Amino acid sequence: MKTILITGGAGFIGSHVVRLFVNKYPNYKIVNLDKLTYAGNLANLSDVEDKPNYEFVKADIVDSGKILSLFREYRFDGVIHLAAESHVDRSIANPTEFVFTNVIGTVNLLNAALDVWKGNTEEKLFYHISTDEVYGSLGKEGMFTESTKYDPHSPYSASKASSDHFVRAYCDTFGLPTLVSNCSNNYGSFQFPEKLIPLFINNIRYNKALPVYGKGENIRDWLWVEDHARAIDVIFHQGKVGETYNIGGHNEWTNIDLIQLMCKILDRRLGRKEGASAELITYVKDRAGHDLRYAIDSSKLQKELGWVPSLQFEEGLEKTIDWYLENESWMLNVTSGDYQLYYEEQYQKR
Ligand code: NAD
Ligand code: DAU
């Protein structure tokens, strides 16, 4: 039986990856290691928590001693590393936290893997999950490929870029078997409502202003989170050590077009007259260093490993909106307490 460590499994994408692996691979023992920050929520995994091949460990990847002792105890065969501080706006408010978790936390995991795998790296893999934001910002034309030069602009993307470099450096310098994938914006169930789609669904539902940064002309390339989890499965099992794979759905939207579409769907779902939700749109001060456009070329992954996205965006967005409407208690639970404070600090001054 293989023992696979998934870090950040109580977060948005991590919970989908844990669910997929626990259900699909009964012969793997899946260990979910998570600090349970504001973004981590064990309720995201209530449907798998009693499965015999699942175990949760609460730990901070910044704590090098704890991480090393866990690696020595569990002798993990593979690592899928998702734990991170993930929100750009929070990285602007508090960059240092992003260096600790995203850079130092990643190096601690690499050191621990090196310690327990030394001399025997056969069948071992350290798979690091990263983002398209490390490539910087595109103009109107072009797409990010795996050879696009890194050009991060936010403290978040700078910390992710740094962690990607460390992962590749441990492969080149120490022969640690590593892999990296860089994915575009994810959407779907269990996403913390600080990110555009769940935040706006919730605000529309409760008739709160929709704070659109700048003119709403920035472009993001949206991928359904379960398609990302499937890509991670394919890359973990079939990807070539030392390689990088871009993951994305060829699905670019300006923020304002996406917001208008959400308003339209929610008008129908909430029985409002057409155009009512769009009246909540409020243009606010732009995000500092706001990247204009992201677009991922995922042809390498599609051609070499046969992965393709499964869902059309409109269908995925409707499913996502329905999930948040049907899971009001999940939303109320994550928006109680500190969330209100964050919301006021983030949006009142804009
Ligand atoms: P998230 O913020 O929803 O979840 C992050 C998880 O990491 C949480 O469960 C949190 O408790 C945990 N965590 C944070 N600091 C930790 C620490 N010090 N020790 C242990 N656990 C810690 O993030 P997400 O959106 O699910 O993103 C997961 C990964 O995917 C991140 O590495 C992110 O950079 C990457 N990514 C995200 C997107 C996206 O659109 N959300 C796209 C591409 C790549
Ligand atoms: O591209 C992948 C990245 O996507 C991931 O690496 C990050 O972890 C993830 O958070 C996401 O980053 P973005 O900054 O693109 O996502 P966010 O949902 O914060 O914002 C999406 C767009 O919407 C962006 O152009 C900013 C804008 N926006 C966002 C918020 C929260 C607004 O206009 N208003 C808002 O209130």
Side-chain angles (χ1 to χ4, degrees), residues 3 13 22 43 73 78 83 114 116 138 141 163 168 178 184 194 209 224 227 233 240 247 284 296 308 333 336 343:
T3 305
I13 302 171
V22 167
E73 180 188 345
L114 207 54
V116 295
L138 291 163
E141 302 295 321
S163 65
R168 294 190 183 107
T178 70
S184 61
E194 62 188 351
W224 191 41
D227 281 333
D233 178 18
K240 272 203 226 135
I247 311 171
V284 300
I296 275 277
V308 280
N333 182 38
S336 61
Y343 198 88

Side-chain angles (χ1 to χ4, degrees), residues 12-13 129-133 135 144 156 181-187 191 219-225 228 245-252 294-298 307:
F12 165 49
I13 302 171
I129 307 302
S130 192
T131 170
D132 61 357
E133 299 203 9
Y135 297 124
F144 299 132
Y156 163 67
S181 61
N182 298 81
C183 188
S184 61
N185 286 63
N186 285 214
Y187 71 96
Q191 186 170 31
I219 293 171
R220 296 291 181 266
D221 182 354
W222 293 94
L223 181 70
W224 191 41
V225 63
H228 188 186
Y245 296 91
N246 276 356
I247 311 171
H250 287 278
N251 178 42
E252 293 179 52
Y294 304 144
I296 275 277
D297 177 351
S298 61
W307 170 90

Side-chain angles (χ1 to χ4, degrees), residues 48-104:
V48 296
E49 67 189 5
D50 293 329
K51 299 264 175 160
N53 62 334
Y54 172 72
E55 187 176 332
F56 173 69
V57 175
K58 186 172 188 302
D60 184 346
I61 58 171
V62 177
D63 181 347
S64 56
K66 175 80 181 171
I67 294 304
L68 186 58
S69 73
L70 288 169
F71 269 74
R72 287 181 178 168
E73 180 188 345
Y74 285 87
R75 318 292 309 177
F76 301 116
D77 298 289
V79 177
I80 305 178
H81 173 36
L82 296 108
E85 287 291 337
S86 69
H87 191 38
V88 174
D89 292 327
R90 288 187 195 251
S91 81
I92 296 167
N94 180 12
T96 312
E97 198 58 39
F98 285 67
V99 179
F100 282 126
T101 287
N102 297 1
V103 185
I104 296 173

Side-chain angles (χ1 to χ4, degrees), residues 115-325:
D115 180 89
V116 295
W117 294 348
K118 60 179 171 263
N120 181 18
T121 52
E122 221 173 294
E123 304 266 308
K124 303 288 190 285
L125 182 64
F126 188 108
Y127 177 13
H128 176 63
I129 307 302
S130 192
T131 170
D132 61 357
E133 299 203 9
V134 297
Y135 297 124
S137 183
L138 291 163
K140 286 204 166 64
E141 302 295 321
M143 299 181 108
F144 299 132
T145 70
E146 287 80 359
S147 54
T148 301
K149 211 167 145 255
Y150 274 29
D151 181 24
H153 297 140
S154 71
Y156 163 67
S157 53
S159 68
K160 290 297 290 187
S162 173
S163 65
D164 294 10
H165 290 318
F166 270 104
V167 171
R168 294 190 183 107
Y170 270 60
C171 185
D172 294 342
T173 308
F174 304 115
L176 194 75
T178 70
L179 261 179
V180 178
S181 61
N182 298 81
C183 188
S184 61
N185 286 63
N186 285 214
Y187 71 96
S189 54
F190 299 113
Q191 186 170 31
F192 193 78
E194 62 188 351
K195 310 282 166 66
L196 181 76
I197 290 182
L199 174 72
F200 277 38
I201 293 171
N202 199 40
N203 282 14
I204 293 170
R205 178 178 209 169
Y206 293 108
N207 274 305
K208 285 173 74 174
L210 304 178
V212 180
Y213 297 166
K215 294 181 179 154
E217 287 168 351
N218 304 68
I219 293 171
R220 296 291 181 266
D221 182 354
W222 293 94
L223 181 70
W224 191 41
V225 63
E226 294 187 32
D227 281 333
H228 188 186
R230 277 196 311 108
I232 289 171
D233 178 18
V234 168
I235 294 168
F236 182 73
H237 288 98
Q238 297 169 41
K240 272 203 226 135
V241 166
E243 292 286 317
T244 296
Y245 296 91
N246 276 356
I247 311 171
H250 287 278
N251 178 42
E252 293 179 52
W253 287 76
T254 63
N255 290 340
I256 195 64
D257 286 348
L258 167 59
I259 292 160
Q260 293 282 7
L261 179 59
M262 282 196 280
C263 288
K264 208 164 131 189
I265 298 171
L266 275 151
D267 278 346
R268 269 190 267 124
R269 293 291 195 275
L270 299 171
R272 294 181 184 166
K273 77 170 173 21
E274 207 181 317
S277 299
E279 285 170 18
L280 299 166
I281 291 174
T282 312
Y283 292 91
V284 300
K285 187 166 161 239
D286 207 354
R287 173 184 278 174
H290 199 173
D291 288 333
L292 177 67
R293 173 172 168 253
Y294 304 144
I296 275 277
D297 177 351
S298 61
S299 53
K300 175 178 171 181
L301 174 62
Q302 303 207 14
K303 279 193 204 121
E304 292 184 11
L305 305 186
W307 170 90
V308 280
S310 70
L311 267 193
Q312 288 300 312
F313 184 59
E314 284 80 351
E315 184 191 351
L317 188 64
E318 295 211 8
K319 268 171 92 113
T320 300
I321 287 174
D322 289 341
W323 187 87
Y324 286 100
L325 293 180

